[in-house]
Amino acid sequence: MRTIGALIFSFWLGLVSGPALAEKRVALVIGNSGYQNVARLANPANDAAVIAAMLKKAGFDSVESRSDLKASDMRRALRDFGNKTRDADVAVIYYAGHGIEVDNANYLIPVDATLETDTDVYDETFALDRVLVAVESAKQLRLVILDACRDNPFAKTMKRTVASRAIGRGLAKVEPSSPNTMIAFAAKAGSTASDGNTRNSPFATALVDHLAKPGLDLRKAFGFVRDDMLKATNNSQEQFVYGSLGGNDVALVPALSAPAPSAATHVDHDATMRRDYEFALQISSKPVWDAFIEKYPAGFFTALAKAHRDKLAAEETRVVATEKARLAQEEKARLAAEGAKQAAQAKAAEEAKAAEQARVTAELTKKAQEVKVAEAERAKAAAQSKAAEEAKAAEAAKTAKAQAEAERIKTAEAAKRAAEEKAAADRGTREEKVAALSSTDPKPEQAVPVDLPRALQAELRRVGCNTGAVDGNWNAASQRSLELFNKHAGMKLDVKTVSADALDAIKAKTSRVCPLVCDHGLRADGDRCVKITCRTGYRINDDNECEKVPEKKPVAKREDSKPKRDVERKEAESASSKPQASGEVICGGGGCRPVAKGCRLAPIRMNGYSAGMGEVCN
């Protein structure tokens, strides 16, 4: 079992580059096209779509693609992505849209920004430093790609509150403070980038062509991106990268290579091809399949790899055709809405019809490729079943041979023992026979049992995966600890059974495997969590950052207003008790006059009969 495990591990180590082994890679892709207060950008949404597809094909564990984010949505996206990077080895953020530079600081602009004055930048946009905070938890690589160096319309219309405040052209150069951090601009500091005349910008096109090449170091990849952009823009736009990496190569897609030779066993060519095919199938991208076919130009798995590659190509064609059909329909609707001439509308309708036909053709091509892949998979299953039967027959023959050899040895030993007994009997004593047998067949020393559960719990605690007791009781908590080790070490050890193989695998890890996760209000410091302390007047917010405590306005207390209210009530009651004119008028033979103060008009009765209305006084 250990020999087979070592063989698989050494093969995987040879197939995949060292830094990419068992590492977790996450990415956030943002494309802001639909700005609400300035003209719409054509390419950012398209650029974000192709970059997200490239990262998914590169084998990233998580790729979140968002478009047309308002300020609140952008804040939430950065916060959620920051949580994902806490246990990641590689973190990538790609942003396409508008950006602005104010006083040598760079800001990304959400789609609902107005930016009427230069000070609105601090309230309505996101500083590049906030983006860097979202990736700073990654252990090996932090990569931020900004396709935001366009000519910014906000800078032309915003009012200046301070004449000395500088608003630059393009973005300002940066110097990352964290190691293993790279920031790539579509254009160097102080210059703007072009959207180009195609569906994608020259920067996004070059990124897709080079970043996903298997085994290509990022520094070389960005160098190739720079060369392509200079060629595409007639030397008017130069991509630029800030930051630095170490001496080891860092590639987004690991390189396929032949397994290292092993003295312990011999792996035939077909087995090597099959294992390379299985690893290529896990990534399943066109560059990886091309590399596999180049390495193995002929063979059963080569045909299967070509089928998978053609299926991916058909899917890309279908996506492009679908997008063209959508754009053609939108253009047709726009011309109709704007009251365009009949000829223009007819041309748009023809283009939409052609795009729809192309989309349908691409759908049929994709389905045909899926049928080919299914047929190839069935042929593969049949071949594997035949190989399994042959292996089973070989194993049965081997077992029969081993049993025959064991029977032969047993018979030989029985004959030898009979001969020794006869020789001892001839010498005359039973005791000599026993002594001879004991001297020729000593009992082996009994192995000292090892407390495997306790040793396994102790090793899990050493690599940071066990927070429970080390008591030798292999319970559910211990099994969860081993599951956590499997997750972060990329292994598949049996968690229900304690084995020496599991103990050896954990002992092979010389450093911490499971990440340290701290609760709110705490931060990681080495192998422990420490409390975050804010200075006076500040408190910890939801992002584990210190923010200023808002000042409270003084509020009048209920006890202070009560005496004043009582005085006003008494004055009102005393004023109402004074006689006042009622505003009524009484008329008689001498004319009409107002009713006297303290009096009112009321019905008057005399001798039980009504005498009309009269003046009644208190």
Side-chain angles (χ1 to χ4, degrees), residues 394-410:
E395 184 65 24
K398 183 179 178 181
T399 302
K401 182 178 179 181
Q403 290 176 352
E405 182 66 16
E407 188 66 27
R408 185 189 66 79
I409 294 174
K410 182 178 179 182

Side-chain angles (χ1 to χ4, degrees), residues 379-564:
K380 170 192 169 185
Q384 289 179 342
S385 177
K386 181 179 179 181
E389 291 177 357
E390 293 176 352
K392 185 177 180 181
E395 184 65 24
K398 183 179 178 181
T399 302
K401 182 178 179 181
Q403 290 176 352
E405 182 66 16
E407 188 66 27
R408 185 189 66 79
I409 294 174
K410 182 178 179 182
T411 302
E413 289 180 349
K416 181 180 178 181
R417 189 179 302 111
E420 289 175 350
E421 290 178 354
K422 182 178 180 182
D426 293 341
R427 284 192 296 267
T429 62
R430 182 71 176 178
E431 290 75 11
E432 292 178 355
K433 175 184 174 182
V434 174
L437 291 175
S438 62
S439 61
T440 57
D441 189 18
K443 292 185 178 179
E445 295 181 0
Q446 188 173 1
V448 178
V450 179
D451 190 356
L452 282 179
R454 185 182 299 274
L456 197 57
Q457 289 171 340
E459 286 299 316
L460 286 171
R461 172 170 290 183
R462 180 181 63 81
V463 297
C465 299
N466 180 21
T467 58
V470 181
D471 54 5
N473 181 17
W474 193 251
N475 51 22
S478 300
Q479 294 177 13
R480 286 193 298 271
S481 300
L482 187 53
E483 286 179 353
L484 191 62
F485 175 86
N486 283 339
K487 174 183 177 183
H488 293 284
M491 304 184 74
K492 296 182 179 179
L493 300 174
D494 186 5
V495 301
K496 295 183 179 180
T497 304
V498 178
S499 64
D501 290 341
L503 183 61
D504 292 342
I506 300 174
K507 284 184 176 180
K509 302 297 182 180
T510 59
S511 60
R512 186 183 188 96
V513 174
C514 297
L516 180 62
V517 180
C518 299
D519 295 331
H520 181 265
L522 302 175
R523 60 179 177 83
D525 184 10
D527 289 335
R528 63 192 184 92
C529 295
V530 297
K531 183 178 181 181
I532 300 175
T533 304
C534 298
R535 66 176 185 269
T536 304
Y538 285 76
R539 65 185 180 186
I540 300 175
N541 61 13
D542 295 339
D543 294 331
N544 256 15
E545 299 173 347
C546 291
E547 68 175 6
K548 190 173 182 180
V549 178
E551 297 181 357
K552 295 183 178 180
K553 297 181 179 180
V555 181
K557 296 182 179 180
R558 185 177 184 90
E559 290 76 12
D560 296 338
S561 60
K562 183 175 180 180
K564 182 178 179 181

Side-chain angles (χ1 to χ4, degrees), residues 141-441:
L141 174 65
R142 310 166 187 92
L143 176 60
V144 176
I145 304 175
L146 299 180
D147 193 356
C149 309
R150 297 170 172 82
D151 190 11
N152 186 4
F154 289 98
K156 300 177 182 179
T157 58
M158 67 172 54
K159 299 178 182 179
R160 308 293 180 89
T161 59
V162 178
S164 60
R165 181 172 289 117
I167 299 178
R169 186 170 179 263
L171 298 180
K173 65 179 182 179
V174 294
E175 293 295 338
S177 58
S178 301
N180 297 327
T181 300
M182 294 184 70
I183 303 175
F185 286 179
K188 64 182 180 180
S191 60
T192 58
S194 171
D195 270 347
N197 299 321
T198 61
R199 184 173 179 270
N200 297 110
S201 70
F203 185 42
T205 302
L207 289 174
V208 172
D209 289 342
H210 297 291
L211 282 191
K213 289 183 178 179
L216 182 61
D217 180 63
L218 276 179
R219 285 157 291 203
K220 291 184 179 180
F222 279 116
F224 292 142
V225 171
R226 169 190 172 275
D227 295 342
D228 284 4
M229 289 181 61
L230 288 174
K231 182 178 180 181
T233 61
N234 197 18
N235 294 329
S236 63
Q237 181 179 341
E238 180 181 3
Q239 177 266 337
F240 219 83
V241 177
Y242 301 91
S244 63
L245 300 178
N248 295 329
D249 285 351
V250 179
L252 288 183
V253 178
L256 289 176
S257 61
S262 174
T265 184
H266 171 71
V267 181
D268 63 329
H269 180 74
D270 291 339
T272 303
M273 182 188 295
R274 180 174 65 253
R275 291 177 180 175
D276 281 358
Y277 169 80
E278 291 173 353
F279 289 126
L281 186 62
Q282 293 179 8
I283 300 176
S284 188
S285 66
K286 190 174 181 296
V288 172
W289 288 123
D290 289 339
F292 180 88
I293 295 169
E294 181 179 358
K295 183 178 178 181
Y296 302 106
F300 169 74
F301 287 98
T302 302
L304 195 56
K306 290 180 179 179
H308 280 287
R309 183 190 62 182
D310 295 343
K311 177 184 176 182
L312 291 176
E315 173 62 16
E316 291 179 357
T317 303
R318 185 193 67 80
V319 172
V320 172
T322 302
E323 181 63 18
K324 287 183 178 180
R326 184 185 66 80
L327 293 176
Q329 291 292 343
E330 291 181 355
E331 179 66 13
K332 176 182 176 182
R334 184 185 68 79
L335 291 174
E338 293 177 355
K341 294 182 179 179
Q342 186 174 3
Q345 292 188 22
K347 181 180 179 181
E350 288 295 330
E351 292 177 351
K353 182 178 179 181
E356 179 63 21
Q357 290 177 351
R359 185 190 67 79
V360 172
T361 302
E363 289 281 358
L364 296 176
T365 303
K366 177 190 173 185
K367 292 180 179 179
Q369 292 299 332
E370 288 177 348
V371 171
K372 289 183 179 180
V373 171
E375 292 176 352
E377 288 290 348
R378 285 194 293 270
K380 170 192 169 185
Q384 289 179 342
S385 177
K386 181 179 179 181
E389 291 177 357
E390 293 176 352
K392 185 177 180 181
E395 184 65 24
K398 183 179 178 181
T399 302
K401 182 178 179 181
Q403 290 176 352
E405 182 66 16
E407 188 66 27
R408 185 189 66 79
I409 294 174
K410 182 178 179 182
T411 302
E413 289 180 349
K416 181 180 178 181
R417 189 179 302 111
E420 289 175 350
E421 290 178 354
K422 182 178 180 182
D426 293 341
R427 284 192 296 267
T429 62
R430 182 71 176 178
E431 290 75 11
E432 292 178 355
K433 175 184 174 182
V434 174
L437 291 175
S438 62
S439 61
T440 57
D441 189 18

